[in-house]
Amino acid sequence: MEASRATTALVVMGPSGTGKTTVAELLGDRLGWITAEADEFHPQANIDKMTGGEPLTDDDRWPWLRAIRDWMTEKQEQGSNAIVTCSALKRVYRDLLRESTADVVFVQLTGPIDLIAKRMEGRSGHFMPKSLLESQFDTLEELQSDEAGVKADVSNTPDEIADQVLRELQLSGESAAPGP
């Protein structure tokens, strides 16, 4: 994978409950990169909808995705590498995120729905109810071979996932971009 720009933005993606935040924080700590949680970009109306057990529509998601794209662009313009979590379930969502001026690379967290549902049961303080997990899996379009990124199985520990991502993307320390 060859970076065409000076900065990289990693998007840790997948359905709710896959451990996006944990993996993003580990990667951010190891790389020394700025991190952000996609939930911070949701308008309150989206949070209210999900809290009420109602799945978001594409119309709900576009402003949220544009805000994430713009944040990645802002970080690129500042010369900062960045990591953001985002479900990015559909290719068209990822296409919009790739409009950033940063070199956008995806880290798709994958795993069986029953394992992820079990993890969600033990989670507290998150507005996304387990009841919406199936709708996320129904919406999910796997990362394609022509999309820059890697897939990692959530049956592995977060540390193992971070190790795999760093190895496959050839990233270390303060490196600016994935290697060849």
Side-chain angles (χ1 to χ4, degrees):
M1 176 182 323
E2 196 162 319
S4 58
R5 299 175 182 117
T7 61
T8 298
L10 293 181
V11 177
V12 181
M13 62 168 282
S16 185
T18 54
K20 293 184 295 291
T21 300
T22 301
V23 170
E25 288 173 354
L26 275 172
L27 291 170
D29 288 346
R30 291 184 186 186
L31 293 167
W33 292 10
I34 296 166
T35 61
E37 171 64 47
D39 293 342
E40 299 167 14
F41 297 89
H42 272 300
Q44 188 61 46
N46 284 8
I47 293 170
D48 293 345
K49 205 171 184 180
M50 288 183 285
T51 301
E54 188 178 344
L56 298 180
T57 66
D58 283 350
D59 286 341
D60 297 324
R61 286 186 181 99
W62 295 125
W64 170 66
L65 291 163
R66 283 192 290 271
I68 295 167
R69 175 204 60 202
D70 295 347
W71 180 83
M72 291 187 297
T73 294
E74 176 184 308
K75 297 305 161 203
Q76 187 276 329
E77 289 171 352
Q78 295 169 354
S80 299
N81 295 307
I83 302 169
V84 64
T85 64
C86 179
S87 53
L89 298 174
K90 290 184 180 180
R91 169 92 187 220
V92 294
Y93 303 163
R94 296 189 298 270
D95 289 344
L96 188 144
L97 294 172
R98 273 191 291 273
E99 291 175 2
S100 170
T101 57
D103 185 23
V104 179
V105 179
F106 295 93
V107 175
Q108 182 182 0
L109 302 181
T110 64
I113 192 169
D114 55 334
L115 172 65
I116 295 165
K118 184 177 178 184
R119 289 182 179 178
M120 287 181 81
E121 288 172 3
R123 182 166 78 171
S124 64
H126 195 278
F127 59 81
M128 179 71 153
K130 188 177 91 171
S131 61
L132 292 180
L133 184 58
E134 190 170 331
S135 74
Q136 288 208 327
F137 269 84
D138 291 343
T139 302
L140 178 63
E141 296 172 1
E142 295 282 328
L143 195 63
Q144 299 299 302
S145 61
D146 66 332
E147 295 181 275
V150 297
K151 293 182 183 181
D153 187 336
V154 299
S155 333
N156 295 314
T157 68
D159 280 317
E160 290 169 333
I161 292 169
D163 290 344
Q164 173 196 343
V165 168
L166 294 174
R167 184 176 57 255
E168 289 187 26
L169 295 178
Q170 300 176 7
L171 292 170
S172 64
E174 295 288 327
S175 56

